[in-house]
Amino acid sequence: GAVVSQHPSWVICKSGTSVKIECRSLDFQATTMFWYRQFPKQSLMLMATSNEGSKATYEQGVEKDKFLINHASLTLSTLTVTSAHPEDSSFYICSARDRDLTGRFLEQYFGPGTRLTVT
Amino acid sequence: ELKVEQNPLFLSMQEGKNYTIYCNYSTTSDRLYWYRQDPGKSLESLFVLLSNGAVKQEGRLMASLDTKARLSTLHITAAVHDLSATYFCAVARTSYGKLTFGQGTILTVHP
């Protein structure tokens, strides 16, 4: 199956700093990528939809100025957590979807996740 | 608003036993997914169910979908310890791809 990578796999940063997380589709082009956040022992919550060449669409309650998303190419989306605070500590997972020749959305592939700890 | 509910949330099983995890969702959807998550890891895709009556099996796991009842089941046959993990169902809101996840079912298989 298709492979999605994330970098870094884990990061520790100080409160007030910014952290960038990269999500790459390695063997397919992803016009759309999704960013999820997962707190310990909870489910995944969709944060935003990242569209190549256009602005991201954020879910209700997600601060777009705090979680900056850029989808500069068909294989790369980045999530920047700005002015991070301890409550932003979480497991961030991206996913990318593939399409068939008719444009129909097929499987959605998940990255390995990035564990962010803000001290 | 699409809601996805799993039942049970915690499941402790003995090896060799059978059990079923249920996933109910509140609005019409054209696809349903089952994922497995091991501690500290991301999601592993198990099944994609695309139509009413769809049934898929892989090893000791079998998933089915009843779109009229808005219900999917994940059946575990003769459980083994390696199946211990958290299992999520997720429903696509539209063919566009946004997924809404259930709460997850933490499965523990005991010897």
Side-chain angles (χ1 to χ4, degrees):
Chain A
V3 178
V4 175
S5 70
Q6 280 184 244
H7 178 80
S9 55
W10 60 271
V11 57
I12 302 172
C13 71
K14 292 190 175 181
S15 188
T17 62
S18 295
V19 175
K20 180 184 284 188
I21 302 170
E22 292 186 350
C23 177
R24 293 182 185 272
S25 56
L26 297 186
D27 48 6
F28 68 100
Q29 293 183 332
T31 55
T32 303
M33 292 183 175
F34 301 92
W35 287 95
Y36 295 86
R37 180 168 54 182
Q38 185 180 33
F39 293 109
K41 299 191 185 302
Q42 294 189 23
S43 188
L44 279 75
M45 297 296 294
L46 179 65
M47 298 175 65
T49 303
S50 172
N51 299 297
E52 188 266 337
S54 64
K55 291 184 178 180
T57 304
Y58 291 82
E59 294 298 300
Q60 194 172 9
V62 177
E63 300 174 59
K64 59 182 67 177
D65 293 332
K66 180 168 187 60
F67 299 99
L68 301 180
I69 292 172
N70 183 275
H71 195 149
S73 76
L74 288 172
T75 59
L76 174 64
S77 176
T78 60
L79 167 67
T80 301
V81 182
T82 63
S83 187
H85 291 285
E87 56 264 31
D88 298 323
S89 299
S90 187
F91 193 43
Y92 292 87
I93 305 174
C94 72
S95 71
R97 59 177 192 160
D98 199 357
R99 288 182 180 272
D100 64 17
L101 293 177
T102 68
R104 192 175 71 131
F105 149 58
L106 299 174
E107 181 64 88
Q108 189 165 143
Y109 303 98
F110 285 83
T114 296
R115 189 161 305 281
L116 170 63
T117 302
V118 184
T119 62
Chain B
E1 180 189 347
L2 173 60
K3 293 185 178 180
V4 182
E5 294 188 348
Q6 287 181 234
N7 177 41
L9 301 183
F10 300 93
L11 180 54
S12 180
M13 296 176 64
Q14 268 192 310
E15 280 189 331
K17 299 292 186 180
N18 305 332
Y19 211 86
T20 300
I21 301 171
Y22 298 89
C23 175
N24 289 275
Y25 54 100
S26 61
T27 61
T28 302
S29 174
D30 65 350
R31 59 193 70 206
L32 186 139
Y33 301 82
W34 283 98
Y35 295 97
R36 168 182 172 144
Q37 185 178 39
D38 292 300
K41 304 290 186 181
S42 187
L43 301 182
E44 173 189 352
S45 178
L46 296 175
F47 302 106
V48 181
L49 301 170
L50 300 177
S51 60
N52 187 42
V55 177
K56 290 193 174 181
Q57 182 163 6
E58 181 73 35
R60 300 174 188 276
L61 302 177
M62 182 173 71
S64 66
L65 178 62
D66 181 343
T67 58
K68 294 179 181 177
R70 297 177 187 163
L71 171 68
S72 180
T73 60
L74 180 66
H75 187 74
I76 303 158
T77 302
V80 293
H81 179 70
D82 286 351
L83 290 178
S84 297
T86 299
Y87 292 85
F88 291 97
C89 65
V91 178
R93 298 181 203 175
T94 65
S95 59
Y96 180 65
K98 288 187 179 182
L99 296 183
T100 299
F101 283 81
Q103 310 97 309
T105 297
I106 299 175
L107 171 65
T108 305
V109 181
H110 300 285

